[in-house]
Amino acid sequence: MEQKPDKHCDHVPDDKPEPEGNKAMTQELLIEGASCGSCVAKIEGALKQVVGVDNAEMNFAQRSVSVSGYASAGALVKAVEGAGYNAKISQNESDEEVLEEKEQADQVYYRRLMREMTIALSLGIPLMIYGVLGGAMTVTTNTERVAWLAVGLATLGVMVFSGKHFFVGAWKSLLNHNANMDTLIALGTGTAWFYSMVVVFFPSVIPDMARHVYFEATAMIIGLIDLGLALELKARGKTSEAIKRLIGLQVKTARVIRDGEEIDIGIEQVLLNDRVRVRPGEKIPVDGVVLEGHTAVDESMLTGEPMPVEKIKDDQVVGGTINKSGSVVFKATRIGKDTALAQIIAMVKRAQNSKPPIGRLADVIAGYFVPVVMIIAVTSALVWLNFGPAPAVAYAIVSATTVLIIACPCALGLATPMSVMVGVGKAAEAGVLIRNGEALQTSSKITAMILDKTGTITLGSPKVTKIHLANATDEDTVLQMAASLEAGSEHPLALSIVESAKERKLNLEPVESFNAIAGHGVEGMVAGKQLLFGNEKLMREKGIEIASYIDPAQAMAEEAQTPMYLAADGNLAALIAVADPIKEDSISAIQRLQRNNIRVVMLTGDNRATAKAVAEKVGIKEFFAEVLPEDKAKKVAELQMQNEIVGMTGDGINDAPALALANVGFAIGTGTDVAIESADITLMRGSLHGLADAIAVSKATLRNIKQNLFGAFIYNAAGVPFAAGLLYPFFGLLLSPVIAGAAMAFSSLTVVTNANRLRLFKAEEH
Amino acid sequence: MILINVFGLLLIALIIWWFWLYKPGEGSVGEGNIVITVENGIYQPSRLKVSAGQPTTLTFLRKDASPCAATVIFPDSELSEELPLNKAKAIVLPPMPPGEHPFTCQMQMYRGTLVVN
């Protein structure tokens, strides 16, 4: 039963990562299949034999093992599996804890950079002022040699204290056949310092005119770049504000009712089907279905919908939203990582780190950038040495140093991810979940948008839209009679009548001698009245006088409403119009799309008359009626054949193939269905304005990325030749390495700041 | 002067060879199940051998406080993860086809390769 050490673990390379001081890590494993106390020793034993494990302690009650040391997760899992159990790495830290840790680490790093910056600049600035005021930066006398030697050693101190990370990083990457920012900074400042020290120690090998020292450049560059990094760190923090806000919505405790008692427990202890109590003003802790009480809930933080939503029994509530008015008890249906909020956070995080195709060129360039700059620096030095005016050596050194320092691969590398980070976050704030960078980029280019009618332009559930009174005196009585009669019917239109009566809190009466007349309607006795409810045909056959109501009925039909006649005791009581109402803001949202030169097309399975009426009402000129669900994808393909970049919007259920085929598939969610698989973009609220918002955010983000990329390209393309001295023959201009250092430090800061400008983006008013 | 020019050209040749032409031998390839340290601008080890066609778990330990090191991206698997400072982070990668798959930081400055076979 002895567990041998895992074969793979024997292979630990010599340069195996050593823990730094007491920073050996602790990992938590969750064990499955451990049924008895004796398993504990076996599992702990197996883990302790893995190379790199210092200690393993199992908590049998929780079925978890805490392992310290620096073995890999894979090796640990294998060892436990070898002992006959299943294990997985637990990563049960909450998003909030991770975020807090990250912020603390950033804070420590920021303070370190600021400290290093202060030291470097307190040497660099006085030296620079001395030079600017006309002090001799040259070495001619012995006194000067001694003085400059002291300054040179002080500069070395700055390089060690403030610039160590550049030099260590440069060296390590060099050994790894890799080159990065550190390489450029270390080479640039190192060259300047080394040359100056040569001037101090061996002035005779350097021509008279070139005996210039550049210690101030080394100290200033290190200080300025540290400052740039510190400011960039602060600016970067702001790019993740949206995700921080989402994480902040998560609730820490919940009040559950167990065994008839209300107790406050930690959110992680809430179980499925727990009864959870939420009082007014409190946040709803997890997703669930209302069991008791009624209230209004502010869901704006998730859906972007500003109006509070009424919740009664059987309505869904979403964790992280705020209960405004009443106290409710609900049943927990989704907890932990399954809640809508947790899924939104995961999805936004994923999307924020994914790259749109536009960023790929910059990635390719960034990959070759540093060695190319090094080659340019060497070439420029050679050209100065061969063809430059005296003192050629000094010019060669200055130009090489300046080229190395001014080049900034970071600005190029940061251009895309920073904007995506802010753009995706901004979209999430508006209730628009973008799956990845590609969806973001493509939606900025959409030229045609196909909208499904039912559930997209319309609410998707037929409702009583109008009651036209004939002989009856009030709408409630009419609705009560019709609903009582239809209560037993399963026709969709009948359901909408019953639903409407419930909404108005009308009590239904029992029905007697009920009779359904196929293709016509229904009849029956309610509260002593002989009722008829159905279409025109039914009325005519039963001899009800309707002549003066033909016109209003016709008007209803032209507005995409289905008119139904209700007669009581042989007289027409009222006309009831049932329709799938158009969402309040569909018209304005469609206008917004059209204003952006997007060709809007409507698809529906409904008949032509209704389709035409709806299309006309919302201002859509192109529509296809009686389209079977499976033919929707064909319509997408047809538009694509016409060279349109097609967005398709649907509810994600029966239009999945069309959503998948479209260049960008938009799914209209209900606020809880976050991860609609076939969709590239999910709209959390039902409004079509989400669509226009999504396109607007994408356009703004792409514009921002282009500005960043353009800026970074131009900066490097202009800065590097200038630094190399290309302007010198024409204008006698040569850049100072200190200016180059400042320019470099602030170029990446500019990119991050420009990306942060996106935070101010506001979608056009509805 | 000629000497300096030759030295300069040699330096350029060296840069090209060291950063682009050099192909790491098998000796520098680590196994998939060791800890990858993120420190001083590099992933260590930066070349890892993993098996094709099955999920791979990689463990990262980030010791580099620079925000550049905070995100690791696997472009071929469309996956990206945040790495906490001084804490192990296990990342499960979906099965990959044989070949070389890079992993990098957001800005492509930290670079590593998964050798899948």
Side-chain angles (χ1 to χ4, degrees):
Chain A
M1 290 301 276
E2 265 298 305
Q3 174 63 28
K4 288 201 174 119
D6 193 290
K7 275 279 176 279
H8 291 271
C9 307
D10 295 340
H11 177 100
V12 175
D14 297 329
D15 53 359
K16 159 189 85 178
E18 288 295 337
E20 223 176 53
N22 56 0
K23 276 178 186 163
M25 58 201 190
T26 305
Q27 299 182 71
E28 188 122 315
L29 291 177
L30 297 178
I31 309 289
E32 283 168 25
S35 51
C36 58
S38 68
C39 306
V40 173
K42 209 164 124 191
I43 290 168
E44 285 180 356
L47 285 170
K48 280 178 190 164
Q49 289 190 37
V50 176
V51 177
V53 168
D54 292 338
N55 197 17
E57 269 177 55
M58 179 155 178
N59 179 331
F60 182 67
Q62 290 179 358
R63 304 282 192 277
S64 68
V65 202
S66 152
V67 186
S68 59
Y70 41 94
S72 80
L76 298 179
V77 170
K78 269 203 164 140
V80 175
E81 283 170 358
Y85 307 96
N86 284 325
K88 64 177 188 218
I89 295 291
S90 145
Q91 289 185 331
N92 59 354
E93 257 180 323
S94 73
D95 292 317
E96 201 159 2
E97 283 164 354
V98 172
L99 191 71
E100 259 170 37
E101 265 176 31
K102 183 177 165 347
E103 284 187 343
Q104 271 172 13
D106 280 354
Q107 197 55 38
V108 170
Y109 189 58
Y110 175 78
R111 282 199 295 265
R112 193 182 106 192
L113 286 170
M114 290 306 267
R115 213 165 41 230
E116 293 176 353
M117 183 272 296
T118 313
I119 297 293
L121 290 189
S122 46
L123 177 67
I125 289 176
L127 278 180
M128 209 172 76
I129 291 173
Y130 174 72
V132 169
L133 294 180
M137 304 289 274
T138 51
V139 177
T140 39
T141 65
N142 269 344
T143 326
E144 277 174 348
R145 277 181 75 180
V146 175
W148 283 121
L149 178 62
V151 173
L153 291 177
T155 310
L156 182 63
V158 164
M159 287 158 80
V160 172
F161 180 80
S162 307
K164 190 176 146 208
H165 50 112
F166 301 129
F167 290 94
V168 175
W171 179 244
K172 292 259 181 174
S173 356
L174 183 70
L175 292 182
N176 228 18
H177 297 269
N178 204 350
N180 55 30
M181 270 312 283
D182 292 344
T183 317
L184 293 176
I185 297 163
L187 276 178
T189 56
T191 311
W193 183 81
F194 186 76
Y195 175 79
S196 306
M197 284 311 259
V198 171
V199 170
V200 170
F201 278 108
F202 313 102
S204 52
V205 303
I206 313 263
D208 269 359
M209 283 172 73
R211 289 179 196 161
H212 195 286
V213 289
Y214 298 101
F215 295 124
E216 95 286 4
T218 301
M220 283 300 289
I221 291 166
I222 290 177
L224 286 172
I225 293 172
D226 278 338
L227 175 64
L229 286 176
L231 296 179
E232 187 192 315
L233 190 68
K234 281 276 160 198
R236 272 186 188 228
K238 293 205 187 94
T239 61
S240 50
E241 241 171 33
I243 196 90
K244 271 184 223 162
R245 207 167 299 149
L246 284 174
I247 289 172
L249 293 177
Q250 290 178 323
V251 185
K252 292 197 185 69
T253 59
R255 166 162 290 215
V256 297
I257 306 170
R258 286 183 187 161
D259 305 325
E261 240 184 281
E262 290 191 10
I263 45 167
D264 287 315
I265 57 171
I267 190 75
E268 65 285 347
Q269 290 170 296
V270 176
L271 303 173
L272 269 186
N273 299 326
D274 257 342
R275 290 159 61 86
V276 185
R277 156 94 63 203
V278 190
R279 288 162 297 193
E282 287 179 341
K283 270 193 214 160
I284 290 165
V286 294
D287 295 357
V289 175
V290 176
L291 296 174
E292 298 166 22
H294 62 91
T295 185
V297 176
D298 178 1
E299 295 185 341
S300 59
M301 56 294 287
L302 289 187
T303 62
E305 168 63 57
M307 294 299 290
V309 183
E310 291 290 329
K311 301 284 179 185
I312 53 169
K313 189 172 182 302
D314 294 335
D315 279 345
Q316 287 190 326
V317 288
V318 187
T321 57
I322 296 172
N323 177 22
K324 290 294 235 195
S325 50
S327 175
V328 285
V329 174
F330 72 91
K331 183 175 85 176
T333 53
R334 285 192 294 196
I335 54 172
K337 296 260 181 243
D338 296 331
T339 62
L341 182 56
Q343 288 183 39
I344 291 170
I345 292 170
M347 187 164 161
V348 170
K349 269 192 189 166
R350 219 172 24 239
Q352 281 184 328
N353 282 320
S354 88
K355 231 172 244 181
I358 193 175
R360 282 183 200 145
L361 178 65
D363 278 357
V364 172
I365 293 175
Y368 290 98
F369 191 87
V370 176
V372 166
V373 168
M374 286 159 73
I375 291 171
I376 293 175
V378 175
T379 313
S380 138
L382 286 181
V383 170
W384 277 102
L385 281 173
N386 286 300
F387 309 107
V393 191
Y395 280 125
I397 291 295
V398 169
S399 73
T401 306
T402 315
V403 166
L404 290 171
I405 294 299
I406 202 164
C408 186
C410 280
L412 211 54
L414 280 176
T416 313
M418 286 297 122
S419 306
V420 171
M421 187 98 173
V422 182
V424 167
K426 197 74 205 173
E429 274 175 21
V432 175
L433 298 180
I434 299 174
R435 186 172 293 279
N436 54 34
E438 196 165 348
L440 181 77
Q441 179 167 345
T442 317
S443 41
S444 74
K445 294 191 290 196
I446 286 174
T447 57
M449 178 64 77
I450 300 182
L451 302 174
D452 190 24
K453 180 183 79 75
T454 309
T456 303
I457 297 175
T458 64
L459 284 171
S461 49
K463 279 204 171 85
V464 172
T465 47
K466 204 182 273 179
I467 297 175
H468 187 100
L469 296 178
N471 291 316
T473 49
D474 73 298
E475 294 189 356
D476 282 0
T477 319
V478 171
L479 205 53
Q480 187 187 26
M481 289 193 288
S484 303
L485 185 60
E486 290 277 27
S489 167
E490 278 172 7
H491 193 272
L493 291 182
L495 283 180
S496 68
I497 304 264
V498 176
E499 201 60 40
S500 292
K502 274 189 190 162
E503 260 172 35
R504 294 195 188 191
K505 303 198 169 63
L506 303 174
N507 291 322
L508 300 192
E509 305 274 341
V511 56
E512 289 163 44
S513 48
F514 177 82
N515 180 30
I517 311 155
H520 289 77
V522 291
E523 60 181 341
M525 290 282 289
V526 173
K529 284 186 173 143
Q530 177 62 42
L531 299 182
L532 281 170
F533 190 46
N535 56 21
E536 200 185 315
K537 254 190 216 163
L538 178 71
M539 297 299 134
R540 289 195 194 284
E541 273 179 23
K542 299 282 177 181
I544 310 290
E545 176 55 45
I546 55 164
S548 50
Y549 295 96
I550 294 295
D551 280 349
Q554 191 63 36
M556 286 171 175
E558 277 165 16
E559 284 177 15
Q561 303 174 7
T562 310
M564 292 164 85
Y565 297 82
L566 176 72
D569 295 334
N571 290 315
L572 188 70
L575 266 173
I576 300 179
V578 175
D580 185 2
I582 292 166
K583 289 174 192 167
E584 248 173 61
D585 51 9
S586 284
I587 298 174
S588 60
I590 288 166
Q591 281 170 353
R592 259 178 90 191
L593 291 173
Q594 288 166 336
R595 268 205 300 279
N596 283 304
N597 295 322
I598 291 170
R599 175 177 166 194
V600 182
V601 179
M602 186 183 86
L603 281 190
T604 179
D606 265 358
N607 64 61
R608 219 188 126 71
T610 314
K612 185 162 185 279
V614 171
E616 269 172 10
K617 201 161 183 186
V618 297
I620 295 178
K621 291 183 195 75
E622 257 181 285
F623 67 90
F624 298 97
E626 290 160 44
V627 181
L628 299 172
E630 57 268 32
D631 289 339
K632 286 180 183 173
K634 276 188 205 156
K635 293 288 172 196
V636 171
E638 269 171 34
L639 284 189
Q640 283 170 333
M641 294 287 282
Q642 300 167 23
N643 289 327
E644 301 278 11
I645 295 179
V646 182
M648 163 82 207
T649 311
D651 55 15
I653 300 161
N654 61 19
D655 35 26
L659 288 184
L661 183 67
N663 299 77
V664 185
F666 292 85
I668 292 225
T670 57
T672 50
D673 307 318
V674 181
I676 297 178
E677 277 302 316
S678 45
D680 298 307
I681 295 182
T682 302
L683 307 176
M684 300 281 294
R685 79 185 139 130
S687 163
L688 283 181
H689 276 290
L691 216 55
D693 287 346
I695 293 173
V697 169
S698 311
K699 282 194 169 157
T701 309
L702 259 288
R703 198 160 48 235
N704 197 272
I705 293 175
K706 284 179 190 162
Q707 288 162 354
N708 276 348
L709 284 176
F710 180 76
F713 272 117
I714 289 297
Y715 167 81
N716 282 298
V720 171
F722 184 21
L726 210 64
L727 293 183
Y728 188 83
F730 310 108
F731 308 104
L733 284 176
L734 190 58
L735 203 61
S736 137
V738 176
I739 306 285
M744 200 286 270
F746 292 98
S747 66
S748 42
L749 182 64
T750 311
V751 164
V752 181
T753 310
N754 187 45
N756 266 329
R757 261 185 348 109
L758 261 184
R759 290 189 303 137
L760 306 175
F761 169 83
K762 268 209 162 61
E764 184 189 342
E765 281 308 310
H766 303 163
Chain B
M1 202 55 219
I2 291 173
L3 216 62
I4 292 178
N5 281 320
V6 170
F7 174 73
L9 293 176
L10 276 178
L11 198 59
I12 292 177
L14 185 70
I15 293 171
I16 293 174
W17 175 75
W18 187 260
F19 292 110
W20 291 327
L21 301 182
Y22 174 85
K23 286 271 171 276
E26 279 304 300
S28 60
V29 179
E31 293 279 340
N33 57 355
I34 65 170
V35 179
I36 302 164
T37 316
V38 189
E39 198 179 15
N40 295 322
I42 54 164
Y43 296 122
Q44 184 68 35
S46 62
R47 278 177 80 80
L48 289 108
K49 222 192 296 185
V50 300
S51 305
Q54 63 186 58
T56 310
T57 306
L58 295 179
T59 311
F60 282 83
L61 177 59
R62 168 184 164 216
K63 292 182 182 173
D64 199 326
S66 159
C68 304
T71 311
V72 60
I73 301 176
F74 301 86
D76 294 349
S77 304
E78 286 191 2
L79 202 78
S80 69
E81 285 284 352
E82 298 275 322
L83 303 177
L85 192 59
N86 291 319
K87 247 188 176 179
K89 167 93 179 189
I91 298 174
V92 182
L93 295 173
M96 284 170 284
E100 296 203 348
H101 301 273
F103 58 98
T104 68
C105 73
Q106 268 185 340
M107 305 194 290
Q108 311 269 314
M109 293 288 113
Y110 293 66
R111 293 163 159 274
T113 310
L114 296 175
V115 183
V116 181
N117 49 29

